[in-house]
Amino acid sequence: MFKKFSVKEDVSGSTSLKSSVQRHVRNSLLEQLPLLSQPAYKEGGETAAPPAEPAPAPAAEPEEEEEPVKGKGKGGKGGKKGGKGGKKAKKEEVPAPAEDKEMQVLDELWPKNEPLGITKCHERINIYTVSSVPIFFNHFDGPFMPTLRVLHRYPALLPHVQIDRGAIKFLLAGAHMMAPGLLSKGGVLPDGLAKDAIVAIHAEGKEHACGIGRMSASSEEIRKAGKGVAVEVVCWVGDDFWKLKEIGL
């Protein structure tokens, strides 16, 4: 898909999506890539939460000690009111980390206050961007796929297959992955992958995914055939799309 990609030659135009379309895209992403709906925590939220809890405690304790001394006088009532005020302050501090818990992984990639841009390319390829940074793409109205850089941040976004060492050079040249490369000793082909499933292509001995592809047949069919194309490669490390760090609006 991106073996030969040029912004000057292959890009038709870029624009910001309407709010209604953005909502549709967000819902589709959450449905197609379940990890995006998982809770995400900001570092600032976790570090800011603990100091907030002990703050009301010192204010509440002295007031409780003063109540027996002042008895039922007006001062005592004032102390009680002060104590209630301390409790209210504590309730206001606690919800802060709860907001962070409600954040989703998708919110880290695409904050809700940021518009989503789309860059339309030839061959009906759509690249979705936030602040000009590509995060997802798809072909026509097909499934959404993360960019490889996003996949490296969130490896669990896609199911994994693994090719053996001998197939790495072919992957980095943009060739489709053949069944023997997945069925050999260094390869890994999980059970249950359906035809047309989008997968992360890992390589033997490498930490991060080297490419993204589409299953040309199910896991069972590939094992049964033992030959032929197993994964149609969409993009890979080092292709023109990988080199593209910003595009569009």
Side-chain angles (χ1 to χ4, degrees):
M1 186 180 291
F2 294 103
K3 191 169 186 177
K4 292 182 179 180
F5 181 80
S6 169
V7 174
K8 292 182 179 180
E9 297 178 3
D10 296 318
V11 172
S12 302
S14 301
T15 186
S16 292
L17 293 173
K18 295 180 179 179
S19 299
S20 58
V21 179
Q22 291 190 47
R23 286 193 296 270
H24 174 72
V25 171
R26 183 176 286 272
N27 291 335
S28 298
L29 286 169
L30 294 173
E31 180 181 353
Q32 294 177 22
L33 301 170
L35 180 71
L36 295 177
S37 63
Q38 296 300 308
Y41 297 87
K42 283 187 176 180
E43 294 182 1
E46 290 183 349
T47 54
E53 294 182 359
E61 289 177 2
E63 289 162 1
E64 290 177 359
E65 292 176 0
E66 290 176 2
E67 286 179 8
V69 178
K70 294 183 179 181
K72 298 181 180 179
K74 293 182 180 179
K77 291 181 180 178
K80 290 181 180 179
K81 289 181 180 178
K84 290 180 180 178
K87 291 180 181 178
K88 287 182 180 179
K90 188 174 182 179
K91 289 180 180 178
E92 292 173 359
E93 296 287 352
V94 173
E99 294 179 1
D100 292 333
K101 290 182 179 179
E102 294 176 358
M103 283 190 62
Q104 298 174 321
V105 171
L106 181 57
D107 297 327
E108 291 185 331
L109 292 169
W110 173 18
K112 292 181 179 179
N113 60 343
E114 290 286 343
L116 184 68
I118 182 172
T119 296
K120 295 187 176 182
C121 309
H122 295 170
E123 298 184 5
R124 296 185 174 183
I125 297 172
N126 303 311
I127 301 174
Y128 299 87
T129 61
V130 174
S131 299
S132 300
V133 178
I135 54 173
F136 298 101
F137 66 96
N138 68 350
H139 179 246
F140 193 39
D141 57 353
F144 289 95
M145 291 172 268
T147 64
L148 267 172
R149 297 184 189 279
V150 169
L151 185 61
H152 288 176
R153 288 177 60 187
Y154 304 97
L157 272 174
L158 298 175
H160 298 180
V161 298
Q162 180 173 298
I163 56 175
D164 59 23
R165 294 180 186 274
I168 296 177
K169 61 182 179 181
F170 298 104
L171 171 62
L172 298 182
H176 295 321
M177 296 296 92
M178 309 300 285
L182 300 175
L183 300 175
S184 65
K185 184 178 179 180
V188 176
L189 178 62
D191 294 329
L193 293 177
K195 183 180 183 296
D196 294 328
I198 305 300
V199 295
I201 305 173
H202 285 250
E204 182 182 5
K206 304 298 180 182
E207 179 182 359
H208 297 294
C210 298
I212 294 174
R214 184 193 303 269
M215 296 287 291
S216 60
S218 67
S219 300
E220 291 70 21
E221 291 171 337
I222 292 172
R223 284 199 177 88
K224 185 177 180 180
K227 59 182 180 179
V229 176
V231 181
E232 298 174 0
V233 175
V234 175
C235 60
W236 61 93
V237 172
D239 67 4
D240 290 337
F241 190 40
W242 169 262
K243 299 172 185 176
L244 188 67
K245 295 183 179 180
E246 292 187 357
I247 190 173
L249 301 176

